[in-house]
Structures are given as C-alpha cells and as structure tokens.
Amino acid sequence: MLSLAPGYHLYAYGPPATAAEIARFMARHAEPPPGYLAVVRQATGIVLLWQRRGELRLWGPDEAIGMEDAYGVSAYLPGAIAIGDNGGGELIVQGEGAIGPGLYLVAAGSLFLDEDAPWIAPDLIALLERGEGAEVVCRSDPIDPDRIGASVFEARDDG
C-alpha cells in the first residue's frame, strides 16, 4: 500500500485506477502532478487523517475529471490540476502559485493561486511520504480515536 508519513491514518480507500481511467485523465492532463499516477495505481478515493485531524481526500482519475468539470479549475487557473480536497470547501491543486510550482490549498469559491492560497508541499510525495504540509490541509478539530477504527476499503461499483 501507500508509503505514508507516520502521522497519517488511512481512513478509507478504493481500488487502484484502471488503465482506462488513467487514459481519460491523461487525455485531459498530459502532465499529471508528480507522484499522482503512482498513487492512483495503488488506490483511489483515498481519505487520510493527519494526527487524528482530517481530512485529506485524494481523488481517483475519474473523480478528478468530474470535479474539474464541476469547478472549472483549469478555466480559472490555466495549467493547474485539482487532485483532491479537505472536505471543507478547499481544493488541493497542483499549479504555479505565489511560491512557485507545487501543491496549494484553494477555496472552491475563490480559484486563485495568489498569496491567499496556502502552499502545501512541492509535490504529492512530499505531502504523503514526509507529511509536508499535512497540517495545512487537515485543520479540523481532533477526531475521537474510538470513532476512527480500521481503514475502510470502498469497492468499485461497476454496475
């Protein structure tokens, strides 16, 4: 499974992306965010908690395309790609922002990569494997450990 920094708890995840899903994503985004394809080839629909705070949700390719269609990220932020969210109305976007290229947290209703968009990490690998920027994404109140439990596998609904 994913190589995650020790502060993460894998709360939920789904099956790996299919070749067809990845092809659809690549048809839209010729240059996916660094590390994204490696992650979705292992699991999709990933929900992580950071030090019992959450949540960091990473979308699979089809969900990323659907959210792109819903929010129009690339129309407002040319070259940017939304790959997840924090469950609180903020999107995780790979793009060229005020600090340079990397992951940023952008309010869904205010799609700007300016000084108001917090820098998360240089890439997905830094965010997941080293925990860089996890506290920026996962800002909710602590979650009761009794409610966390084991990871939940969300099976693909193919029919």
Side-chain angles (χ1 to χ4, degrees), residues 4-46:
L4 297 172
Y8 281 118
H9 172 79
L10 179 60
Y11 186 75
Y13 64 100
T18 66
E21 291 169 335
I22 291 172
R24 283 190 293 272
F25 184 84
M26 295 298 293
R28 288 256 187 125
H29 307 290
E31 292 186 43
Y36 179 75
L37 294 181
V39 169
V40 300
R41 284 183 175 125
Q42 295 180 60
T44 59
I46 299 166

Side-chain angles (χ1 to χ4, degrees), residues 109-132:
S110 178
L111 295 174
F112 298 101
L113 285 177
D114 56 16
E115 61 278 349
D116 292 333
W119 164 266
I120 300 172
D123 55 44
L124 200 51
I125 300 304
L127 175 61
L128 297 179
E129 292 185 2
R130 297 191 298 273
E132 291 180 30

Side-chain angles (χ1 to χ4, degrees), residues 14-95:
T18 66
E21 291 169 335
I22 291 172
R24 283 190 293 272
F25 184 84
M26 295 298 293
R28 288 256 187 125
H29 307 290
E31 292 186 43
Y36 179 75
L37 294 181
V39 169
V40 300
R41 284 183 175 125
Q42 295 180 60
T44 59
I46 299 166
V47 180
L48 301 168
L49 306 179
W50 176 254
Q51 298 178 348
R52 293 186 311 118
R53 296 179 189 274
E55 58 195 37
L56 188 163
R57 300 188 310 187
L58 294 175
W59 306 326
D62 281 352
E63 188 176 8
I65 290 169
M67 295 303 260
E68 164 64 29
D69 291 345
Y71 288 103
V73 173
S74 62
Y76 291 98
L77 304 169
I81 302 171
I83 58 170
D85 68 89
N86 69 354
E90 296 173 306
L91 307 177
I92 299 168
V93 174
Q94 173 76 37

